[in-house]
Amino acid sequence: MDSSEEEDDFSTHEYITPQSCINAIYQSKTEKDIRRICTELLDLKDAVENLRGNMYSKYLGFLRISEEVIEMEQELIELQKHVSVQRILVQDLMSGVCRELEIWNECQNEDPDTKNDLQFSEIDEILNYDTEDPKVTLLETLDILLVEHKIEEVLLVLDAEEKKNQGLSNFGDDPSNEGSSFKEAFLKRKEILKDLLVGICEQPSVRVADLKKALSGLVKVGQVSVAHKLLLKAYGYQLQKKIDDFLPSCSGYTETFAATLSQFVFSTIFLVAKESVSLFGDMPVNTNRIVQWAEYEIESFVRLVRENLPPPETDSALRSISICVDAGLRHCSILEAQGLKFSKLLLVLLRPQIEEVLDMNFRRARRTIIDLVNNDDIEFPSLQPGSPTAIVTPSNIMFISSGRRFMCQVEEILGQLTPKFILHYGGIILNKLLQLFDKYVDTLIKALPGTSEDDIVMEHKESISFKAETDAEQLALLGTAFTVADELMPMAVAKILSPQTGKMEESGGSSGSTTPVSISALEYKEGKRHLQHSFDKLRDYFCRQYVLTFIYSREGKARMDARMYLEGKGDDLYWDSDPLPSLPFQALFARLQQLASVAGNVLRGREKLQKNLLSRLTETVVMWLSAEQEFWDVFEDETIQLQPFGLQQLILDMRFIAEISVCGGYSSRNIQQLVSVIITRAIGTFSERGIDPQNALPEDEWFAGTAKAAINKLLLGTSASESSEVEPDEHLIIHDEISDTEKTPSSPSSTTESSESFASANMGETESPVFFSDPEAE
């Protein structure tokens, strides 16, 4: 078709202008022409909008017509049923008339003589048959009642007839053709009634009262199994309708939507069980059918919870699944009174989702621990009563903010859980809390100065910017971890244990219901032991780094060098008028004094922790001496000449360390054993080099008394440098440090190498060299 033909075809359409007309009219392409085109385009746009509105209105009309068609279909179905009933009635009437005519014809053929007499009698019999035979009357009555849907009257007629004629309930008992025909017609009416009752039960909008009547009718006609299936189907449809109406709005109830769904499902199961017993009695077959149906509905419920749950790493997801478990188990306990036990099934189906939500929430908590420590700061508590720190912590110690925020996270997670949830999943929660504390301890270890053997393992993990440099900061960090491990975490874990204890007390130890899968008293003790071990890991790392910082200089040389036992002013220390421990051990005594003074302020009220910490520090020093092979290689070198003085000085130093722990009140069996091991090894090594211990060593009481006297002298300010002249070597540097510390304990020397090695010490906080001062005495 060419352009001219197209123009002829569309020339009469009011909305279409042919291209030739456009070229002819707007050939000049002036501004006026363009404005005219725009005006026409706008008109076309308005026409399209009007067309769209008309389409929408017609669509709404189409929807209304569709609804009317559906209603009309229902009416047609009902009319079809009525027509079917009427057709059956007519067919029965016709078959009866034909049968009677056949009988009449047979009688006429058998006796032709009496044909005229029988003709009138049979005709009268046929004409009067419907009114005289009660069976026909009964069938007619049933047909009329069925057509009018008078179900109760039909049931009464059927019941009365069955009581009069017992053979109607057992087909085949009556051998006569007449009885079989009547029974067949009677059973056909019962089948029609059954279909009518089934149709009532299957109606979506059937009322509960009508449903019960229809089910009762099915039971009366002997269709118990069909009635029970219809009961389950009807309540299942009602449940699904409730859920479909609720799901679009469940996004606004992220925490309680699962509990609402649980209410829908389990209340429906309860009603079904109740109605089943009411209508059909307590039958095992029906109970099994209810259990199967309920299991399917519970599985659908769990699937809906999983599909509509908030993101698993959020608090709302944990709260929602916890409320879901609590509500579900509460409903299951109600159903157990009717012999239906679904608690185990519910817990098994929900367990994967619960584990995922718990795992994601604790992962989120572990990720935030790095941020907690990076933003850390030390908060010094006010000693005034009612201070904020005194409210948060049980004792007046420094509490770094990360510890408080860590416990806030723990409390936030536990605050989302319900008692029944904790009762059944307490073991999982406890393990994840312990793992969270392990992560917190690992992060605090990174905040301490020095390097760790575990740093290689943790290289791929996030590093932290916060470092505890001073003694006060490091002790505050340890005190915080101790408070969390010893008090706050056990208090939080006790919330997990207490529901189980209460449950056991209420039930009296009976196991009639589902056994709770919660933590036991033994698991609680194991959890506390795990917390203690995690804290010990942090404490041991601090002690190891603290001791190594004391022993080694910045150049990596050990101050506790065995060569100091090869130099001495005399051959026998016993005859020295003023024997003292070696200078490094005097410096160790001063460091322990200083640390004890700082700990008395920082760890106020934590005397057990202070003693434990100082004991572990002392034990770490002795362990280093015992395990450092380079230290013992000096004594075993045959090119070096050993003197009795060296053995005496070494034993005195060991006794001095033991007496420090005894006087400080933190002596331990490990310290005493390690000191004894070192002394025994030293005696054996010197004996192999020709030193006789019997002649070289005084009595043990002398070493103990000398060590105690040295401690008293050092506490009184008697310096070892006043009584001996030594060359200015590394030992002199340590000696100068002791002298400066004793003279001006509040201002450490900044020019000595030893003081630089203790950069973590805050000497400005020490008012006096009081060894392990008692804060209460102050």
Side-chain angles (χ1 to χ4, degrees), residues 68-84:
E68 293 178 359
V69 168
I70 293 174
E71 294 177 357
M72 186 66 67
E73 287 180 354
Q74 295 294 333
E75 294 179 359
L76 289 176
I77 291 173
E78 295 294 333
L79 182 60
Q80 185 178 3
K81 292 181 179 180
H82 295 324
V83 172
S84 299

Side-chain angles (χ1 to χ4, degrees), residues 625-626 628-636 678 681-682 685:
L625 289 173
S626 176
E628 184 63 26
Q629 187 59 37
E630 293 182 2
F631 180 84
W632 296 99
D633 288 343
V634 176
F635 300 132
E636 297 172 357
I678 293 176
R681 183 176 180 180
T685 302

Side-chain angles (χ1 to χ4, degrees), residues 89 99 237 499 505 610 618 681 725:
L89 181 61
R99 186 172 59 252
Y237 177 82
E505 291 176 357
Q610 297 176 36
T618 308
R681 183 176 180 180
E725 294 290 338

Side-chain angles (χ1 to χ4, degrees), residues 295-320:
E295 289 176 352
Y296 172 79
E297 295 296 340
I298 293 174
E299 291 175 1
S300 302
F301 157 69
V302 173
R303 184 171 61 255
L304 287 174
V305 170
R306 181 171 60 252
E307 293 173 354
N308 295 275
L309 199 68
E313 67 275 5
T314 58
D315 294 338
S316 58
L318 183 59
R319 182 63 177 174
S320 177

Side-chain angles (χ1 to χ4, degrees), residues 102-112 114 118 122:
E102 290 176 359
I103 295 173
W104 178 71
N105 290 330
E106 289 176 0
C107 293
Q108 279 190 340
N109 294 330
E110 289 176 0
D111 193 1
T114 58
L118 290 176
E122 292 298 334

